[in-house]
Structure formats: C-alpha cells, structure tokens
Amino acid sequence: MFYQEELETMPREEIEKLQLDRVKNLVHYVYERIPLYKERFDEAGVSPDDLQTLDDLRKFPFTVKQDLRDSYPFGMFAVPIDEVARIHCSSGTTGTASVVGYTEHDLDEWGDCFARFVRAADCGPGSVMQVAYGYGLFTGGLGAHEGGQHAGCAMVPTSTGNTKRQVRLLRDFKVEVLACTPSYALVIADTAKAMGIDKSELHLKAAILGAEPCSEGMRKEIEQKLDCQVYDIYGLSEVMGPGVSCECGEQHGLHVNEDKFIIEIVDPETFEPLPDGQWGEVVFTTLTKECSPLVRYRTRDISRIIPGTCPCGRTGRRMDRIAGRTDDMLIIRGVNVFPVQFAQVISEFPEVTSYYQIILTLKGPLDHVELHVETVMDFPFDEIRRLQDLKKRIEAALKENLQVAVDVKIVEPMTIERSEGKAKRIIDLRGEANA
C-alpha cells in the first residue's frame, strides 16, 4: 500500500533530477541564512555555484553534532523564530543539547514521511495506532503521531509507562499498529502474557519500531509474541526524526525517502565515498527542511546501501539496518566490537531471550567483558549441567564471532532491568577502576 505512490515509485532518473534541483537550492539557502555554513564553505574554498552534479556534493564540508551544540540554541536555524512552529532537542546527557526547529512546512513534510511507512505496513484509514514512544523534546512520540494522523489512523497517544494499561488499550481499542522501541515492545508482550492476555486477543498487524538497534532474533521474538509483522524504522532528531527510512513488507532494507534526503555512505576514517554494498558511516543531507537544514550530516551510524531493487515497487534506495555507531564502538583488547554483534550471537540460542547487558570492567590492565543474558521462562534453571553447557556454548560462539573472550553469566528470567524507552545495554565500569 502506498501513501504517495508517485513519489515513492519515481523512476531513478527522476529521483536524481529532483535531488539535484533541491540540493542546488539547499546550498545557496544555507550559505545565505546560516553563518556557520558560509564560514565552512569559504574555508573549504567552495561556492554554492560549484554544485552542478550530485557528485559535486562531495566537495562540500561535513556537518557534525558538535556544530549543533556549538550553535546552541538557535544558531543553526535558517528562519526567524516567528516562523518556527515547534522546537525539539536531544537529551543533552553527554553535553549541550542539539536543538532542531520545524516550520509548519517541515512538520507537514515529516508527517508525510512517516505516513508512507504506516501505509507500507498496510494500515491507514480505519486503523487504530498506538504510540508508546515518549512525547516531549524527544522526536519519537510526536513524529510517529504526526505520521499516523497523516496516514489517516485513529491515534492513541499513550507515550511510555503504565504498561498494563498499554496492554489493555491494545486489546480493548483493537489497535492494529504499535509504534515504540523494540525493547519496550518486548516489555509490552511479556506484560500481556503475565496479565493472562493471549496474543490472539490482540488485533495487531504491525509494530513500527525504532530508536535503537533491533537484531533479527529480537525481531522474530517480538513477531512471535505479538503475532504481528515488525517494521524497522530509522531517523534521528538532527536530520528530522523518525521517518527518514523504513522497511516495507519485504523486510529487506529500509527505503530512504530520497525526495527529502540524500544518503551517502563514507569510510569513517578517510571519509571517502564507499560503493553500494560496503559498510560505512551514514551521511545525510536534507533537501526540503526550512528551519534546520543540514548539509552532509555525519550520523555516526554504521550501515550500507543494499544493491538492487525491491519487489515492493518502491524505488528509494535501501539502507541496511544499523550495525552500530562509530561512537559506541567498543575497543576491547584492541578489537573493535559493536553491541549489536552480541545480540546477533545470542539470537541463535533458543534457550535465552533478547534481554542482555554488557558489563565492562578491568582485570589488572586488561579489559574484562561480562555478558548477562536471561533464560526463557521454561528453561530448567536449577539444572546446573545444562546451565554450564549453555554458558560454554554461548561463550564459544561469541569468541568465534567477536574474536574476544566474553564471560557469560546466565541469569533467571525477568532479572535484567526493563526499559520503557531505549534499553541500557552497556554498563562501562572501566573508568571507575582508575578513579
């Protein structure tokens, strides 16, 4: 099902022509309206007039998160405050918040982007959509809400928390599409089971999940527990919010809304462009944003462009699911490891759930990695030999896949802390050893 079929199925040549027209306008727009871009372009020796082909975009400098922080609060706005309809920002837990503004036009574009993916999940007018992302400065809740409304759904803005009520509303309102984080979808599923509510009592068709990585094993677990199809969605506040790209029913790559964004994949060390199929850092340029446009924004997310076309008929290029972030990459005894790799390994073991935590400490001068992972409810936890065998098999699989020794600790069901938002997967205590 399409929301804007003409745009979603536009021939490749037309997409690229539209992108070129829009990016030409963009570089002039930001040069004239945002002092940082004028300064950066001048320093790099490039002029807006130098952009004559899409490849010419590579001549222009990158934008990074610190640029937004340094411009706090409104230094990256391209319009006066009386034209701003809404302001969002990051949590700022690791420094000054990065602020993003939206005009009414921006909000309408955002709603269209997310609506495309609600319709891709075969939901729309007549469907009830429950949004269990947090509402507020975080873009997830309001972004999904706008998208659901644009798609024609009846919206249930539950936000996060009060999970038992979330479950009752899912059942009583016959909700067809749920939007939240993958970890909270599992919390909802497990809470429903604990309440004695069978998945057959729910009417879910789709779960549109984002804001954190979701391994294939975690996806399958959610689909099995909630009896619906899971669609991975991608976005980030700086670029727009949720709705930059999303899976279709084929579940093989996230279609980028290429009429709104240009995606690049670059080598995270050399920053040179990488061909389709190779993993690297994702870089986005916004094409239609009025308030907070960005040129070549380095997301620090690791993905790749999936070659070929999708059977669904959408022509927007597909990015793979996020494999990790350059800034959450763990360097353990000299080996680069991403947290999602742990999830991929444990998903191969039916005896354990998708809940896990990585505990990093020091043993002398060396890194020590401990993985806490829960067994499924019916695992015989009191059978010591089976526990030891499971521990050894998981440790061997981790060693083979990560090339790092990991001490696995099998814990009982429901003992790892649940999250209503993004799950806290990593506890790094290495700095405390030096305190």
Side-chain angles (χ1 to χ4, degrees):
M1 184 188 295
F2 296 100
Y3 175 66
Q4 295 169 316
E5 185 170 359
E6 182 179 344
L7 291 171
E8 294 174 69
T9 62
M10 186 180 290
R12 190 78 228 157
E13 287 185 5
E14 291 184 28
I15 291 177
E16 293 180 357
K17 182 180 182 301
L18 178 63
Q19 286 184 324
L20 181 58
D21 290 342
R22 287 181 168 178
V23 77
K24 281 182 176 181
N25 290 332
L26 171 75
V27 291
H28 280 91
Y29 183 79
V30 298
Y31 188 80
E32 295 165 2
R33 290 173 175 251
I34 300 177
L36 179 136
Y37 279 120
K38 184 179 189 309
E39 179 183 332
R40 291 286 173 80
F41 290 6
D42 289 348
E43 287 177 353
V46 292
S47 160
D49 292 329
D50 291 335
L51 201 153
Q52 296 300 317
T53 69
L54 287 176
D55 286 343
D56 288 339
L57 184 59
R58 300 171 187 170
K59 300 174 183 177
F60 289 77
F62 293 104
T63 310
V64 296
K65 193 179 188 75
Q66 192 60 44
D67 293 328
L68 277 70
R69 290 173 172 164
D70 291 343
S71 302
Y72 178 90
F74 304 144
M76 292 291 284
F77 283 15
V79 299
I81 198 67
D82 61 359
E83 295 181 24
V84 179
R86 189 190 300 165
I87 298 172
H88 283 281
C89 64
S90 67
S91 62
T93 53
T94 57
T96 303
S98 51
V99 181
V100 184
Y102 302 80
T103 64
E104 288 289 356
H105 167 81
D106 293 336
L107 293 176
D108 195 51
E109 292 278 284
W110 188 6
D112 283 346
C113 284
F114 200 106
R116 293 176 185 180
F117 304 135
V118 176
R119 291 288 183 88
D122 200 25
C123 296
S127 300
V128 179
M129 177 172 170
Q130 186 162 322
V131 178
Y133 286 118
Y135 282 67
L137 290 176
F138 169 60
T139 55
L142 285 165
H145 190 109
E146 291 269 357
Q149 280 190 312
H150 274 64
C153 297
M155 302 306 299
V156 185
T158 53
S159 191
T160 57
N162 204 336
T163 308
K164 290 183 178 180
R165 183 177 65 177
Q166 300 262 10
V167 171
R168 286 192 292 269
L169 295 181
L170 279 175
R171 179 193 63 191
D172 298 346
F173 291 2
K174 298 182 179 179
V175 173
E176 289 189 349
V177 56
L178 171 67
C180 62
T181 63
S183 53
Y184 195 46
L186 275 179
V187 171
I188 288 172
D190 291 342
T191 301
K193 185 175 181 180
M195 293 170 65
I197 295 177
D198 188 77
K199 62 185 178 182
S200 63
E201 298 179 59
L202 304 179
H203 294 77
L204 278 175
K205 292 170 58 177
I208 300 177
L209 309 181
E212 64 182 14
C214 180
S215 68
E216 189 60 26
M218 191 176 192
R219 182 218 291 274
K220 290 178 180 177
E221 183 178 355
I222 295 168
E223 289 185 331
Q224 189 276 323
K225 287 182 174 180
L226 290 177
D227 193 23
C228 67
Q229 185 162 349
V230 167
Y231 297 80
D232 193 8
I233 194 166
Y234 174 81
L236 60 167
S237 298
E238 295 83 1
V239 174
M240 182 183 69
V244 174
S245 65
C246 186
E247 290 179 319
C248 64
E250 299 293 326
Q251 294 180 314
H252 184 54
L254 291 79
H255 290 275
V256 178
N257 282 316
E258 287 197 278
D259 57 317
K260 317 290 188 191
F261 311 99
I262 290 177
I263 183 173
E264 300 174 72
I265 304 293
V266 302
D267 185 304
E269 294 183 0
T270 67
F271 306 121
E272 290 298 313
L274 293 173
D276 290 358
Q278 287 195 23
W279 294 86
E281 182 175 346
V282 181
V283 174
F284 274 111
T285 296
T286 65
L287 295 176
T288 62
K289 288 183 72 175
E290 292 181 336
C291 184
S292 299
L294 292 173
V295 176
R296 304 195 77 198
Y297 181 74
R298 288 182 52 200
T299 67
R300 296 196 179 275
D301 290 324
I302 302 297
S303 184
R304 64 175 181 138
I305 298 296
I306 297 176
T309 58
C310 184
C312 77
R314 289 173 178 82
T315 50
R317 289 194 297 171
R318 292 166 296 159
M319 57 184 286
D320 214 324
R321 285 189 284 172
I322 300 301
R325 288 178 54 82
T326 60
D327 53 0
D328 74 4
M329 181 176 70
L330 306 173
I331 302 177
I332 303 170
R333 300 190 182 187
V335 178
N336 297 341
V337 178
F338 291 103
V340 71
Q341 292 177 271
F342 289 83
Q344 291 166 347
V345 171
I346 65 174
S347 70
E348 300 170 4
F349 293 85
E351 301 97 329
V352 298
T353 71
S354 296
Y355 294 106
Y356 69 93
Q357 274 191 331
I358 302 163
I359 316 294
L360 301 174
T361 57
L362 290 174
K363 281 195 172 181
L366 299 177
D367 295 320
H368 179 257
V369 188
E370 185 172 279
L371 175 69
H372 293 192
V373 61
E374 286 184 3
T375 61
V376 295
M377 293 297 291
D378 58 357
F379 185 85
F381 202 83
D382 55 348
E383 294 185 18
I384 303 302
R385 285 188 178 180
R386 289 191 63 176
L387 274 176
Q388 291 176 336
D389 174 67
L390 178 59
K391 170 183 165 72
K392 289 180 180 178
R393 287 189 290 117
I394 295 176
E395 287 177 344
L398 289 166
K399 178 68 173 177
E400 180 181 351
N401 284 271
L402 276 60
Q403 305 304 308
V404 170
V406 178
D407 182 10
V408 173
K409 183 178 180 181
I410 310 292
V411 299
E412 294 186 60
M414 307 302 293
T415 55
I416 293 177
E417 182 181 358
R418 276 24 179 186
S419 171
E420 295 173 355
K422 296 183 183 182
K424 187 173 183 180
R425 301 292 194 195
I426 305 167
I427 300 176
D428 192 343
L429 303 177
R430 291 177 292 182
E432 295 185 10
N434 297 322

